[in-house]
Amino acid sequence: MNNISDHNNDEASAIIRPRLIDHYGILGAQNKFDFAIPFLHEDIPLYVDPFLMWKSPSQQDQSLHDTLINAFNAFGREANSGGMSQCVERLCRISECNEVGLGNSASRTGKRIGKEKALEILGLFERLPHYAKSECHHIEETQLYIDGISKDRISDLACNFLKSFLIDFTIDQCERAGIPLQDVTVSDVYSVRDRKFIDDYKAKLPCHPETGDNLIFVPKRWLRYVPWINYEDYFKHHCPQDDIAHEGEELNHVQVLQYNVNNYGVVDAYIKEKERTFEDCFNDPLFSQIPILSAKRHLTALKKLPSGKEDNADKEYERILELLLPSLLYPHLDFATAQSRTISGSSIRDLIFYNNRDYPFLDELNNDYQSRQITFELKNVKTVEREHVDQLNRYLTPGLGHFGVIVTRNELSKARMQQTVDLWSGQRKAIIALTDLDIDMMVQVFESKQRLPIEVVKKKYFEFRQKCPV
């Protein structure tokens, strides 16, 4: 078992932007899972929005929102009843929830708030009448009163107050997906019954394969890029700016927050308006396809581009394909990242995809070429030259697999096609080319929905294999 785990770990570390499921060799696109699949080396760039629980038709989510708000209000009451120092210390601790891996950190670790900021938050339960009466209805309101409190803090606070539920959710999702669990001790787990945090909570959780840190999953249905209730929306559409600043005076963030504290009725009106329009609030998917009309417009723009670098045509070519290909290939290939690399002074743009292997052709690529990921190299050239094929060939390492795609304007010449055939014969590496005509066909089937765009890639691969020796 250890040898298998070590082997999977080696493979996962070799691929680009590895996820937890890649470490365990678990197949499946993100859209097949109810949780956001954790990355091993970075955060998921989304945040928990408690408003999604509030507006949910699910009684479970509504109850969880009540739990969150009741816990937050109880926290404030405890601070005002002689427990300020303990509450400040705890609030600093629960201002980060590294186990969930949400946000913009490149290392899955964040920075906690300081005691001064914690005192400001708890001070709201003295300064605001409805807080003093334990009538805070949305924890996101704190963004409108306290400087330095934003979507990441709201998300982490919510996760820590609801950590007990998230642990149970994680266990269930791991058992469904086949992700191993370990006996661990978890800190900062809020007990609804005792209204206090437990620091030695025993549970079974997945652990980070490299650091050993606990991992906790979050339901996709709770995630947004920006909370429904947020400062930017309030400032733009609801803040009485003329009442705060004199004519010609630049209005700063701190002035607005101070005004809100002294005129909390304005914030209350904003909250009621956001509640009234709750039907417009939806979770943000980790990836969404562009509309068909948008795909057709991008295709038209692509066809009009000249080949080469004049007037930055190569950059525009890359930009269009970075929008088109992830949508055309989804969900059979999950988009991993776009990256640039430089070889011999030449800048090359690659699109890297996870091979979910949920389509027979893709499973075949994995079996024959160890392609757990697939690289699409973008070349806005009239004619693919020998060095272009050599460049992609050098990039096809055991970590990325031995199958790659050059996306270019025209079909390979007879000499270049023979070069790719020779690579297959000598090294068992497969390189195919997608042209403007192929991209056109992919957009057509994307629009018709009668076939799959990935079938165009399959067609070009089978045409390539027919030229290879038996």
Side-chain angles (χ1 to χ4, degrees):
M1 179 64 74
N2 288 338
N3 290 336
I4 295 175
S5 177
D6 291 343
H7 177 66
N8 288 336
N9 189 28
D10 290 342
E11 289 187 332
S13 63
I15 69 175
I16 304 298
R17 211 183 186 196
R19 306 164 298 176
L20 183 65
I21 63 172
D22 299 317
H23 171 75
Y24 291 112
I26 294 170
L27 306 183
Q30 172 63 83
N31 69 329
K32 301 297 183 183
F33 298 99
D34 292 331
F35 62 94
I37 303 171
F39 295 112
L40 294 187
H41 302 138
E42 60 192 90
D43 282 345
I44 300 168
L46 286 168
Y47 304 87
V48 168
D49 184 358
F51 194 88
L52 289 168
M53 303 176 218
W54 182 88
K55 60 94 61 171
S56 172
S58 164
Q59 289 188 354
Q60 181 187 60
D61 279 4
Q62 293 175 21
S63 176
L64 288 168
H65 187 269
D66 289 343
T67 297
L68 168 62
I69 296 305
N70 291 338
F72 185 60
N73 283 323
F75 209 59
R77 288 197 303 272
E78 181 183 349
N80 286 345
S81 301
M84 181 63 76
S85 60
Q86 299 95 314
C87 288
V88 165
E89 181 182 356
R90 180 66 68 176
L91 188 55
C92 291
R93 289 183 55 176
I94 66 172
S95 64
E96 277 294 335
C97 189
N98 291 326
E99 297 101 323
V100 298
L102 299 177
N104 289 307
S105 172
S107 60
R108 288 186 54 91
T109 57
K111 186 178 180 180
R112 297 171 176 172
I113 63 173
K115 291 184 177 181
E116 185 175 328
K117 192 62 61 180
L119 280 168
E120 286 188 60
I121 296 172
L122 294 172
L124 294 176
F125 289 92
E126 290 182 337
R127 300 181 66 182
L128 301 180
H130 61 301
Y131 273 60
K133 296 177 183 177
S134 296
E135 293 180 356
C136 168
H137 300 301
H138 296 279
I139 194 174
E140 306 94 286
E141 294 176 24
T142 53
Q143 301 170 94
L144 308 179
Y145 296 120
I146 305 295
D147 187 30
I149 301 300
S150 57
K151 56 189 178 182
D152 55 338
R153 296 295 176 212
I154 299 301
S155 177
D156 285 329
L157 286 170
C159 288
N160 271 315
F161 276 119
L162 299 177
K163 191 178 285 185
S164 177
F165 166 79
L166 292 177
I167 289 172
D168 292 340
F169 173 79
T170 302
I171 293 171
D172 176 66
Q173 294 300 311
C174 284
E175 290 175 345
R176 292 170 184 260
I179 298 173
L181 298 168
Q182 299 182 32
D183 291 317
V184 299
T185 300
V186 189
S187 61
D188 300 315
V189 179
Y190 187 76
S191 169
V192 176
R193 177 185 299 170
D194 301 324
R195 293 187 177 182
K196 67 178 184 179
F197 284 92
I198 302 171
D199 289 326
D200 56 352
Y201 188 87
K202 305 300 181 183
K204 287 183 176 292
L205 284 176
C207 293
H208 194 287
E210 297 172 8
T211 66
D213 294 335
N214 297 339
L215 299 178
I216 292 177
F217 300 165
V218 177
K220 292 189 299 184
R221 66 182 184 272
W222 292 0
L223 299 178
R224 280 175 62 89
Y225 291 108
V226 179
W228 182 243
I229 297 170
N230 66 85
Y231 176 86
E232 289 74 18
D233 177 61
Y234 166 79
F235 182 80
K236 184 177 181 180
H237 299 293
H238 296 270
C239 177
Q241 300 182 28
D242 292 340
D243 294 342
I244 305 174
H246 299 295
E247 185 176 353
E249 179 183 345
E250 184 178 353
L251 185 60
N252 64 49
H253 188 215
V254 175
Q255 286 177 296
V256 174
L257 298 179
Q258 185 60 51
Y259 176 88
N260 291 344
V261 171
N262 296 326
N263 300 270
Y264 52 85
V266 177
V267 173
D268 188 56
Y270 167 65
I271 299 300
K272 285 183 169 57
E273 173 65 14
K274 299 301 284 186
E275 290 181 343
R276 187 184 67 80
T277 56
F278 75 93
E279 291 184 350
D280 296 328
C281 178
F282 299 98
N283 68 298
D284 288 320
L286 278 83
F287 175 80
S288 58
Q289 292 173 291
I290 60 176
I292 292 172
L293 285 177
S294 180
K296 293 172 71 174
R297 285 196 296 269
H298 288 311
L299 176 64
T300 300
L302 183 76
K303 291 179 177 179
K304 291 179 179 179
L305 278 177
S307 57
K309 298 182 178 181
E310 188 174 352
D311 295 328
N312 287 322
D314 56 335
K315 302 301 181 185
E316 182 63 12
Y317 179 77
E318 293 168 355
R319 187 192 70 82
I320 292 172
L321 287 171
E322 284 178 28
L323 292 170
L324 267 179
L325 285 175
S327 288
L328 296 176
L329 298 169
Y330 181 84
H332 303 290
L333 295 179
D334 268 340
F335 183 55
T337 189
Q339 65 176 20
S340 294
R341 54 193 170 94
T342 302
I343 297 180
S344 301
S346 176
S347 179
I348 304 165
R349 192 68 168 171
D350 297 316
L351 302 184
I352 312 294
F353 293 85
Y354 301 108
N355 183 0
N356 297 318
R357 291 166 276 175
D358 57 353
Y359 182 65
F361 163 62
L362 296 174
D363 192 42
E364 179 182 337
L365 292 184
N366 180 70
N367 294 334
D368 292 348
Y369 303 104
Q370 298 78 51
S371 292
R372 303 181 71 201
Q373 290 188 308
I374 296 178
T375 302
F376 287 69
E377 185 176 297
L378 313 181
K379 300 299 296 183
N380 184 37
V381 295
K382 184 176 182 180
T383 303
V384 171
E385 303 294 346
R386 171 176 290 277
E387 59 265 27
H388 299 145
V389 177
D390 287 341
Q391 287 166 351
L392 181 54
N393 173 45
R394 287 192 292 270
Y395 201 50
L396 298 182
T397 61
L400 282 175
H402 292 161
F403 175 83
V405 181
I406 295 178
V407 186
T408 188
R409 308 308 300 267
N410 303 299
E411 292 288 354
L412 299 182
S413 66
K414 184 176 181 180
R416 295 290 72 73
M417 179 60 73
Q418 186 60 49
Q419 183 184 0
T420 62
V421 170
D422 291 343
L423 278 174
W424 186 88
S425 300
Q427 302 180 36
R428 284 299 186 265
K429 292 183 178 181
I431 295 177
I432 65 171
L434 292 181
T435 67
D436 284 2
L437 290 176
D438 298 318
I439 301 298
D440 190 331
M441 183 177 295
M442 292 173 75
V443 172
Q444 289 182 41
V445 299
F446 180 63
E447 178 183 14
S448 70
K449 297 186 182 301
Q450 295 180 357
R451 297 179 63 188
L452 301 172
I454 192 66
E455 292 181 27
V456 177
V457 181
K458 175 182 176 181
K459 170 180 173 292
K460 294 302 294 276
Y461 171 70
F462 285 163
E463 290 175 354
F464 163 75
R465 282 302 310 273
Q466 288 174 353
K467 294 179 171 62
C468 296
V470 178

Short mmCIF file of all heavy atoms in Angstrom, two decimals, residues 332-352:
data_model
loop_
_atom_site.label_atom_id
_atom_site.label_comp_id
_atom_site.label_asym_id
_atom_site.label_seq_id
_atom_site.Cartn_x
_atom_site.Cartn_y
_atom_site.Cartn_z
N HIS A 332 -14.97 17.14 -20.30
CA HIS A 332 -14.11 15.97 -20.46
C HIS A 332 -12.66 16.29 -20.10
O HIS A 332 -11.92 15.43 -19.62
CB HIS A 332 -14.21 15.43 -21.88
CG HIS A 332 -15.62 15.08 -22.26
ND1 HIS A 332 -16.28 14.01 -21.73
CD2 HIS A 332 -16.51 15.69 -23.09
CE1 HIS A 332 -17.51 13.94 -22.22
NE2 HIS A 332 -17.67 14.95 -23.05
N LEU A 333 -12.27 17.54 -20.35
CA LEU A 333 -10.96 18.02 -19.90
C LEU A 333 -11.20 19.23 -19.01
O LEU A 333 -11.77 20.23 -19.47
CB LEU A 333 -10.08 18.40 -21.09
CG LEU A 333 -9.65 17.29 -22.04
CD1 LEU A 333 -8.80 17.86 -23.17
CD2 LEU A 333 -8.88 16.20 -21.31
N ASP A 334 -10.83 19.14 -17.74
CA ASP A 334 -10.91 20.28 -16.83
C ASP A 334 -9.70 21.17 -17.05
O ASP A 334 -8.56 20.70 -17.06
CB ASP A 334 -10.93 19.82 -15.37
CG ASP A 334 -12.35 19.63 -14.84
OD1 ASP A 334 -13.27 20.20 -15.45
OD2 ASP A 334 -12.52 18.92 -13.85
N PHE A 335 -9.94 22.47 -17.20
CA PHE A 335 -8.85 23.42 -17.42
C PHE A 335 -8.01 23.54 -16.16
O PHE A 335 -8.54 23.77 -15.07
CB PHE A 335 -9.41 24.78 -17.82
CG PHE A 335 -8.38 25.81 -18.15
CD1 PHE A 335 -7.41 25.55 -19.11
CD2 PHE A 335 -8.37 27.03 -17.52
CE1 PHE A 335 -6.46 26.50 -19.44
CE2 PHE A 335 -7.43 28.00 -17.83
CZ PHE A 335 -6.47 27.73 -18.79
N ALA A 336 -6.69 23.37 -16.30
CA ALA A 336 -5.79 23.48 -15.14
C ALA A 336 -5.17 24.87 -15.08
O ALA A 336 -5.30 25.58 -14.09
CB ALA A 336 -4.70 22.42 -15.21
N THR A 337 -4.48 25.28 -16.15
CA THR A 337 -3.83 26.58 -16.13
C THR A 337 -3.32 26.93 -17.53
O THR A 337 -3.18 26.06 -18.39
CB THR A 337 -2.64 26.59 -15.15
OG1 THR A 337 -2.14 27.92 -15.00
CG2 THR A 337 -1.50 25.70 -15.63
N ALA A 338 -3.08 28.21 -17.73
CA ALA A 338 -2.36 28.68 -18.92
C ALA A 338 -0.99 29.15 -18.44
O ALA A 338 -0.88 29.84 -17.44
CB ALA A 338 -3.11 29.83 -19.59
N GLN A 339 0.03 28.75 -19.15
CA GLN A 339 1.37 29.15 -18.70
C GLN A 339 2.26 29.43 -19.90
O GLN A 339 2.04 28.91 -21.00
CB GLN A 339 2.00 28.06 -17.83
CG GLN A 339 2.27 26.75 -18.54
CD GLN A 339 2.98 25.75 -17.63
OE1 GLN A 339 2.96 25.87 -16.42
NE2 GLN A 339 3.63 24.77 -18.23
N SER A 340 3.24 30.27 -19.67
CA SER A 340 4.21 30.60 -20.71
C SER A 340 5.54 29.97 -20.38
O SER A 340 5.92 29.86 -19.22
CB SER A 340 4.38 32.13 -20.82
OG SER A 340 3.20 32.74 -21.26
N ARG A 341 6.23 29.54 -21.39
CA ARG A 341 7.58 29.05 -21.20
C ARG A 341 8.44 29.60 -22.34
O ARG A 341 7.93 29.94 -23.41
CB ARG A 341 7.63 27.51 -21.19
CG ARG A 341 7.00 26.84 -22.38
CD ARG A 341 6.81 25.35 -22.15
NE ARG A 341 5.99 24.74 -23.19
CZ ARG A 341 6.46 24.16 -24.27
NH1 ARG A 341 7.77 24.10 -24.47
NH2 ARG A 341 5.67 23.63 -25.17
N THR A 342 9.72 29.70 -22.12
CA THR A 342 10.63 30.27 -23.11
C THR A 342 11.71 29.26 -23.45
O THR A 342 12.37 28.73 -22.56
CB THR A 342 11.28 31.56 -22.59
OG1 THR A 342 10.25 32.49 -22.26
CG2 THR A 342 12.18 32.17 -23.64
N ILE A 343 11.85 28.96 -24.72
CA ILE A 343 12.89 28.04 -25.20
C ILE A 343 13.63 28.73 -26.35
O ILE A 343 13.01 29.16 -27.32
CB ILE A 343 12.28 26.71 -25.69
CG1 ILE A 343 11.58 26.00 -24.52
CG2 ILE A 343 13.35 25.82 -26.29
CD1 ILE A 343 10.95 24.68 -24.92
N SER A 344 14.93 28.87 -26.19
CA SER A 344 15.79 29.50 -27.21
C SER A 344 15.27 30.87 -27.60
O SER A 344 15.26 31.25 -28.78
CB SER A 344 15.86 28.59 -28.45
OG SER A 344 16.37 27.33 -28.11
N GLY A 345 14.82 31.63 -26.59
CA GLY A 345 14.37 32.99 -26.86
C GLY A 345 12.97 33.09 -27.41
O GLY A 345 12.48 34.19 -27.65
N SER A 346 12.31 31.97 -27.64
CA SER A 346 10.96 31.97 -28.19
C SER A 346 9.95 31.74 -27.08
O SER A 346 10.03 30.77 -26.33
CB SER A 346 10.82 30.88 -29.26
OG SER A 346 9.48 30.82 -29.73
N SER A 347 8.97 32.66 -26.95
CA SER A 347 7.93 32.53 -25.93
C SER A 347 6.82 31.62 -26.45
O SER A 347 6.32 31.80 -27.56
CB SER A 347 7.37 33.90 -25.58
OG SER A 347 6.34 33.78 -24.63
N ILE A 348 6.46 30.64 -25.62
CA ILE A 348 5.45 29.66 -26.02
C ILE A 348 4.33 29.66 -24.98
O ILE A 348 4.59 29.65 -23.78
CB ILE A 348 6.07 28.24 -26.10
CG1 ILE A 348 7.25 28.26 -27.07
CG2 ILE A 348 5.04 27.22 -26.53
CD1 ILE A 348 8.13 27.04 -26.95
N ARG A 349 3.11 29.69 -25.46
CA ARG A 349 1.95 29.67 -24.57
C ARG A 349 1.31 28.29 -24.61
O ARG A 349 1.02 27.75 -25.66
CB ARG A 349 0.93 30.72 -25.03
CG ARG A 349 -0.19 30.99 -24.03
CD ARG A 349 0.32 31.66 -22.79
NE ARG A 349 -0.76 32.17 -21.95
CZ ARG A 349 -0.60 32.65 -20.74
NH1 ARG A 349 0.63 32.69 -20.22
NH2 ARG A 349 -1.60 33.12 -20.04
N ASP A 350 1.13 27.73 -23.42
CA ASP A 350 0.51 26.41 -23.30
C ASP A 350 -0.78 26.51 -22.51
O ASP A 350 -0.91 27.33 -21.59
CB ASP A 350 1.43 25.44 -22.54
CG ASP A 350 2.74 25.18 -23.27
OD1 ASP A 350 2.69 24.99 -24.49
OD2 ASP A 350 3.80 25.21 -22.61
N LEU A 351 -1.72 25.65 -22.86
CA LEU A 351 -2.90 25.43 -22.05
C LEU A 351 -2.80 24.00 -21.51
O LEU A 351 -2.61 23.06 -22.29
CB LEU A 351 -4.19 25.60 -22.86
CG LEU A 351 -4.40 26.95 -23.55
CD1 LEU A 351 -5.77 26.98 -24.22
CD2 LEU A 351 -4.26 28.10 -22.57
N ILE A 352 -2.90 23.86 -20.19
CA ILE A 352 -2.77 22.55 -19.55
C ILE A 352 -4.15 22.12 -19.05
O ILE A 352 -4.84 22.89 -18.38
CB ILE A 352 -1.78 22.59 -18.37
CG1 ILE A 352 -0.47 23.28 -18.78
CG2 ILE A 352 -1.51 21.17 -17.85
CD1 ILE A 352 0.33 22.56 -19.81
#
